[in-house]
Amino acid sequence: MSKRRGKVISDATAAKSRRVTADAKPRRPSSGRATPSSTGDIGLIESITLKNFMCHHLLGPFQFGPNVNFIVGNNGSGKSAILTALLVGLGGKATVTNRGMSLKDFVKTSENTADITVKLRNRGPDAFKKDAYGDCISIEHRISSDGGRTCRLKSKSGKLISNKKEELTAILDHFNIQLDNPVSILNQEMSKQFLHSKNEFDKYKFFMKATLLEQMKRDYIHIKHTKTVTRQQVERQDESLKDLKREFLQKKERYEHLPSVSEMKEVLENLKKTMVWCLVREKEQLVQQLKDDVEKEANNHKHQDNLQLCQSKVTQVEKKRQLIKSRVDGMRREQESLSGDNLRLKEQVKVVGRAHKEQELVYFRALNKLKQSEKEQNRLQERINKAKTILSLNNDGDTEYAIQQKTISRLKEQLAELEAKGPKLNQEIQNKRQALFKGREEREKLRLEERNIWVVNESKVRRRNHILASRSNKLKRFGDQVPDLLGSIAEGYATGRFLKRPVGPIGACISLKDPMLALAVECCLRSFMKAFCCDNYKDEAALQELMRRHYPKGNRPQIIVCTFSEKVYNIQGRKADHPEYPSVLDIITAPSPVVINCLIDMRGIESILIIKEKDKARRVMQQGRPPKNCREAFTAEGDQVFSNRYYTADFSMAQYLGGDLETEISMLESDLENHQAQLSRFQLHGTSVTKDIMSMERNLNNTIIALKNTLVSVNQVKASITELETAGEEHIDDISSLEEVAQENRPRLEAEKQFVHEAKTDLDKHRSSAEDVESKYFAVREQIDQLSEDAEALKEEQLKLEAECAKHQRTLQILERKLKAHEDDVQAMSGDLAERAEELQTSHLTTGICGQSHRDLPRAAAGDPQHQEHRHRNHSDEEDNRGARGKPRRAGAGAEGVRQGPRSLQGENQPSERSAEVHRSTR
């Protein structure tokens, strides 16, 4: 509303008569003010339709009634989308919806645009432009994926009325629709902030904003400021008006007392007469200049020469183009004649190639048949030789068969030994694998225990270093960056960056009445020990910026925003009531009530008891009804006790509120020594176990290799036995029958060899004929390709010449237009010269009435300084006219430049006419 400040002031009276909100839940006016024309006639939302908005493809149209409307549905069904679309569809920004930072966030994924259509009721005497829009105003918004949007305002019939944002703003002002008013439209974030806020100032700000009192206050301040500025301007103008009146009186008095007014009038008459003859002289000079220009342009034959030169170039290029075209046609005819030979040779190549392949197939079939017959003959000869060898005796008198049987029996004995060795090796491998697995498990356990001890050792080392660093500065207990951060806060507060100085960390701002309860308090407050307090959100933003500088990585301390108060809250009736055990609020003290109030708001320390013993804590909280207003308790060891559950503390010593640093350091040193001794012992044991594992792995690998070698040997022995048994089972063929079969096969082999030789001869003949035909075909093909290349080159040259010819043709047309324009210019200048000569003659006749000779002009103008100045000005104007005439004229521009002359002379003739009238009156 602040952007329409002027409209708010001017329309204040009209707005009072039409307080109708545009919320989705319109209210009925009171019975005393309700009229048929104003009740629900304007500004009510009739329907809304969404398309590709947020995560919904299509929602609506949703029809709304005239009274209260409720929208119900499951999560994700689109309830919040409707409210968000209503804000955006009425012209609201994306940040107002608390649903996105930019409009492009509302476009559905994988879609380019989103559409919103909102229809508002527009009835009754207070309707907005009833003649244009009718009974309903349709507001259509289209949002693109790049963040832009367009708005179209349509009538009830769908006619486009406007697409300007100012029109939509006028509609919202007329209907009193306030998008930023939480009473009209209350989103989830605003409702959470209103309900969770316990600050009365925030509620008062909400009231001021909802009732528009805040806007009225800003308007009132603006009006007062404008009134003051206006009054100051009026006072200054009054003072300057007095000075102007005084100066006017002085000038008037001086004018009335001037003695030479009559003389100046006489000089003025003479100057007017002189000016008339000066104008005549200028016209004479202009006419002479025009004559010179006409003669110069008439004698200029440059355009005709250029036109003849261009025509000769066009003729030459056309001859070259015709010559190249004839050569291209000759090559085309030659190429067509070669194409017939090419087709004939191509068919011949196919026929010869087919015959060659058929003969090649016959040859290879005969050759393969010959090779198969030779292999059969060789196998038959081997069988004959083998049968002869088996029947022969060796030196010991044994046959080959007896020797094979002895070898088989020896290999079977060797196979039995190898098969008995295999199970033993398998059992040995299994035992060694189990031992190796146990060794690896033991090593992993040692490594895990060593890693756990190392992690604990590192945490204790960090804790020791942290405590050593906090000896000189207790603030370092809350982090190494805290001292520098507090320095930056102090510097920022000194420079006015904060409205009120932030307080923190909270753990550094509190102290304990009983140091023995430090662990219990730390377990109760937890992360609040390192938190900071800010008075307002502006200070919170400034503190966040400082924290980003000091905490570039890792988690930053928490920031709590609560209004600073000089007094501790009144907790009467809310505090835990127990006569024996104190609350956390009772055992801590702080110099500033801000810290106590913050812990009361965020942690509720007034309702948490501290009970040192575990058993008593369980008895008080769990075995009976807990004390009044008590919701939990903590023991001295940091255990957290509820009425139905019990949690043990995560750490055993206080980190921030502990007082005896030396004792904690000595305990940490002793723990670190124990951890170092354990790590050394684990390392030695781990080294020994690793050596044993490596030895077992080597033995296991050797056993596996031995087993593999045994299996390979078993397979080899089995193969040898099978081969020998197969050879022994073969029958001894009859040598004579085998030799007869071999003798019968020899003539058949000779016949096949002869057929192969003849097929080879025919194949060579077909190959030579095919090569001859292919060489002729390729020669013709090369000639055709060469002609094609030459023809393409000539075509390119022909295209270049055609382009050059077209270029010269265009130049020829331009030169013809220039020649015609030149002739038109000369004709126009001649006509202008005739008009100027006629005007000069008329000026001579008119000026003669003044009674002053043209020859007396230099004497009349010589003694008057004003006349000299006038002559100098006229001379400068004449030079400007000459400069304008000296510029080259384009086609159509020369006539315009000539027509401008008479208008200037006509304007200059006006003083001469007035001079003639003065002369007649004096005469």
Side-chain angles (χ1 to χ4, degrees), residues 584-677:
V584 177
L585 179 61
D586 296 331
I587 66 173
I588 65 173
T589 59
S592 173
V594 174
V595 176
I596 301 298
N597 292 339
C598 179
L599 293 178
I600 290 174
D601 288 336
M602 303 303 297
R603 191 63 181 92
I605 57 175
E606 77 280 2
S607 61
I608 302 174
L609 294 178
I610 300 296
I611 306 174
K612 293 184 179 181
E613 294 82 2
K614 297 181 179 179
D615 299 335
K616 292 182 179 180
R618 289 181 182 272
R619 184 172 64 254
V620 171
M621 296 297 296
Q622 297 179 352
Q623 294 183 5
R625 186 175 182 180
K628 183 180 179 181
N629 296 328
C630 178
R631 56 187 177 84
E632 59 181 306
F634 282 88
T635 66
E637 296 179 356
D639 298 343
Q640 189 176 12
V641 186
F642 290 92
S643 60
N644 55 355
R645 56 192 185 278
Y646 188 96
Y647 297 106
T648 305
D650 296 333
F651 45 90
S652 59
M653 293 185 65
Q655 299 181 3
Y656 306 107
L657 301 177
D660 192 0
L661 296 179
E662 299 299 332
T663 302
E664 187 175 358
I665 291 173
S666 61
M667 293 176 62
L668 289 174
E669 292 289 348
S670 61
D671 290 342
L672 290 174
E673 291 178 359
N674 294 334
H675 291 329
Q676 291 293 337

Side-chain angles (χ1 to χ4, degrees), residues 626-735:
K628 183 180 179 181
N629 296 328
C630 178
R631 56 187 177 84
E632 59 181 306
F634 282 88
T635 66
E637 296 179 356
D639 298 343
Q640 189 176 12
V641 186
F642 290 92
S643 60
N644 55 355
R645 56 192 185 278
Y646 188 96
Y647 297 106
T648 305
D650 296 333
F651 45 90
S652 59
M653 293 185 65
Q655 299 181 3
Y656 306 107
L657 301 177
D660 192 0
L661 296 179
E662 299 299 332
T663 302
E664 187 175 358
I665 291 173
S666 61
M667 293 176 62
L668 289 174
E669 292 289 348
S670 61
D671 290 342
L672 290 174
E673 291 178 359
N674 294 334
H675 291 329
Q676 291 293 337
Q678 291 179 5
L679 288 174
S680 301
R681 185 171 65 255
F682 278 124
Q683 289 176 356
L684 292 175
H685 192 185
T687 304
S688 175
V689 171
T690 302
K691 290 181 180 179
D692 294 341
I693 289 173
M694 293 176 64
S695 177
M696 287 188 288
E697 287 177 349
R698 286 194 298 271
N699 294 333
L700 177 61
N701 292 332
N702 294 333
T703 306
I704 291 173
I705 291 172
L707 177 61
K708 290 181 179 179
N709 294 333
T710 301
L711 293 176
V712 171
S713 300
V714 168
N715 293 332
Q716 291 177 353
V717 171
K718 286 182 178 180
S720 300
I721 292 173
T722 302
E723 184 179 358
L724 292 174
E725 287 178 351
T726 302
E729 291 176 357
E730 291 181 355
H731 298 286
I732 299 174
D733 297 328
D734 189 4
I735 296 175

Side-chain angles (χ1 to χ4, degrees), residues 254-268:
R254 288 179 59 190
Y255 176 77
E256 290 176 352
H257 290 82
L258 284 175
S260 58
V261 174
S262 59
E263 296 178 0
M264 293 177 66
K265 290 182 178 179
E266 184 178 357
V267 173
L268 178 62

